[in-house]
Amino acid sequence: MKHVVLSAMRPTGRLHLGHYFGALCNWVKMQDECECYFMSADLHALTTDYADTSNIENNTLDMLADWLTVGILPEKSTIFKQSEVLQHSELFLILSMLAPLGWLERCPTYKEQIKEIKNKDLNNFGFLGYPVLMAADILLYKSDLVPVGEDQLSHLEFTREIARRFNNFYGQTLIEPKEKLTKTTKLPGIDGRKMSKSYGNSILLGEEQDTIKEKVKNMFTDPQKIKKDDPGHPEGCVVFAFYKIFNGKDFEKRYEQCKQGGVGCVLCKFELTEILCEFMKPLTEKRKTIICDKTYLKKVLEDGRCKASQTAQKTMSEVWNALKF
Ligand code: TRP
């Protein structure tokens, strides 16, 4: 039996290399082995952006263009918008009846975001219920394997617990999913912190060549390596972290060279620029074509909506049966 995979991202705008190596390249691979559903979590975007919804639709199209650019294929995967498959809202409502407040209030992501996000009022029912909606997303497709980052593990644990609770009350209906963590080396942003749009330290998918040059120039390197023949510490160097991902097996040679003071940061950056530009060029061109073709993007989402709805409807009729409604 094929694994059923559901994964999603909130539509927050254009994606960057961190998304690519952290998630998307994994999604692309899974398409061949599993039955895949990839969703724009636009209702989840609403949990934080309810006061200004003006960007959500465009962000979804930007994100979709990025997915298609890196090789998520509508022929292989079901690609859709959460808000257009109404069963997400339906199952969310039912699960919310079974969701103990304590589980939600204890959720580490919830506590963290309430503390960190100060520019928005997050004291809402919907925000507290974020994991309930995510559980509905996953359980609706009987997905047994969910590719997520480590930050989402508590939500997945919540999904398993709520599925178990449902099954205990009403009989075996929902499937408890397992996580699939991506095993890539983490790609830092150009300043060495986690790559993130909000830090302004990211390299976008489809970034222009000039901007790539500029960004590599600004990458943080080993502060103790001042002259080019000073011995360096590649472990903490952003340029080296990129080498490790982009330069395949040659990165070990570069590691030794840097440690022995055999190569300077300027040359290292120059070479990385070349590698990155070459990697990005075809993607940038492909993305431009895709993002201009709004009719195509809409059609992908419409086909996805039809396919996803069929599965979702089937699960929901089982859910209503289990509830004896
Ligand atoms: N919460 C996820 C994130 O912020 C997005 C998401 C919504 C998701 N529904 C999902 C991820 C279902 C996996 C499965 O990244």
Side-chain angles (χ1 to χ4, degrees), residues 249-275:
K249 45 194 183 343
D250 267 356
F251 80 87
E252 281 164 359
K253 221 165 71 195
R254 180 49 50 103
Y255 182 88
E256 291 307 325
Q257 275 176 326
C258 175
K259 277 205 104 101
Q260 290 156 14
V263 59
C265 299
V266 175
L267 179 66
C268 222
K269 284 187 168 181
F270 177 76
E271 287 178 11
L272 179 64
T273 306
E274 306 248 287
I275 296 171

Side-chain angles (χ1 to χ4, degrees), residues 147-159:
V148 284
E150 256 171 70
D151 60 318
Q152 299 293 314
L153 285 180
S154 62
H155 294 156
L156 217 64
E157 187 60 35
F158 177 88
T159 304

Side-chain angles (χ1 to χ4, degrees), residues 70-322:
V70 300
I72 305 288
L73 296 172
E75 298 80 25
K76 291 184 183 167
S77 301
T78 305
I79 305 167
F80 67 102
K81 246 163 52 170
Q82 187 182 31
S83 61
E84 291 185 340
V85 178
L86 300 181
Q87 286 79 5
H88 289 260
S89 306
E90 208 178 329
L91 187 55
F92 166 71
L93 183 135
I94 294 169
L95 296 179
S96 75
M97 306 296 170
L98 325 184
L101 283 180
W103 293 7
L104 294 169
E105 286 160 349
R106 270 197 301 274
C107 196
T109 42
Y110 175 72
K111 289 196 287 192
E112 212 176 276
Q113 300 218 33
I114 284 282
K115 236 196 322 185
E116 262 174 39
I117 304 180
K118 289 288 174 226
N119 57 341
K120 291 172 190 165
D121 182 358
L122 297 180
N123 281 305
N124 313 304
F125 178 59
F127 186 68
L128 179 66
Y130 188 107
V132 185
L133 183 56
M134 182 158 157
D137 299 338
I138 296 166
L139 300 173
L140 204 43
Y141 300 92
K142 303 206 170 165
S143 166
D144 60 337
L145 202 58
V146 180
V148 284
E150 256 171 70
D151 60 318
Q152 299 293 314
L153 285 180
S154 62
H155 294 156
L156 217 64
E157 187 60 35
F158 177 88
T159 304
R160 284 191 286 268
E161 279 167 358
I162 202 90
R164 209 173 307 149
R165 195 162 154 84
F166 184 101
N167 293 339
N168 277 336
F169 284 140
Y170 313 116
Q172 182 62 42
T173 312
L174 303 171
I175 306 284
E176 289 182 37
K178 289 202 170 59
E179 66 271 6
K180 164 112 177 112
L181 288 168
T182 323
K183 285 196 260 8
T184 46
T185 343
K186 279 224 172 73
L187 192 66
I190 54 179
D191 60 359
R193 293 186 289 173
K194 183 180 173 202
M195 190 180 281
S196 156
K197 210 174 89 179
S198 56
Y199 293 156
N201 65 1
S202 59
I203 297 179
L204 296 179
L205 284 171
E207 193 87 81
E208 296 292 343
Q209 309 273 297
D210 289 350
T211 328
I212 295 178
K213 264 182 219 152
E214 202 51 40
K215 288 188 170 174
V216 175
K217 223 194 257 166
N218 290 330
M219 274 182 187
F220 285 26
T221 51
D222 174 13
Q224 290 170 42
K225 188 170 161 70
I226 295 159
K227 292 193 279 19
K228 73 173 194 282
D229 43 13
D230 285 344
H233 304 81
E235 303 82 19
C237 171
V238 173
V239 177
F240 182 71
F242 274 74
Y243 255 100
K244 224 166 153 176
I245 287 194
F246 282 93
N247 209 18
K249 45 194 183 343
D250 267 356
F251 80 87
E252 281 164 359
K253 221 165 71 195
R254 180 49 50 103
Y255 182 88
E256 291 307 325
Q257 275 176 326
C258 175
K259 277 205 104 101
Q260 290 156 14
V263 59
C265 299
V266 175
L267 179 66
C268 222
K269 284 187 168 181
F270 177 76
E271 287 178 11
L272 179 64
T273 306
E274 306 248 287
I275 296 171
L276 272 181
C277 283
E278 197 183 321
F279 168 85
M280 200 69 91
K281 199 164 182 200
L283 297 181
T284 307
E285 279 163 22
K286 189 171 167 193
R287 191 183 190 282
K288 274 189 198 148
T289 321
I290 295 175
I291 195 66
C292 292
D293 196 347
K294 295 285 187 294
T295 320
Y296 173 62
L297 292 173
K298 296 247 157 86
K299 178 166 182 324
V300 169
L301 289 175
E302 177 52 22
D303 291 350
R305 184 192 65 79
C306 288
K307 275 202 275 172
S309 298
Q310 282 177 13
T311 316
Q313 241 159 32
K314 192 161 163 283
T315 305
M316 278 321 291
S317 67
E318 291 171 25
V319 164
W320 287 120
N321 273 337

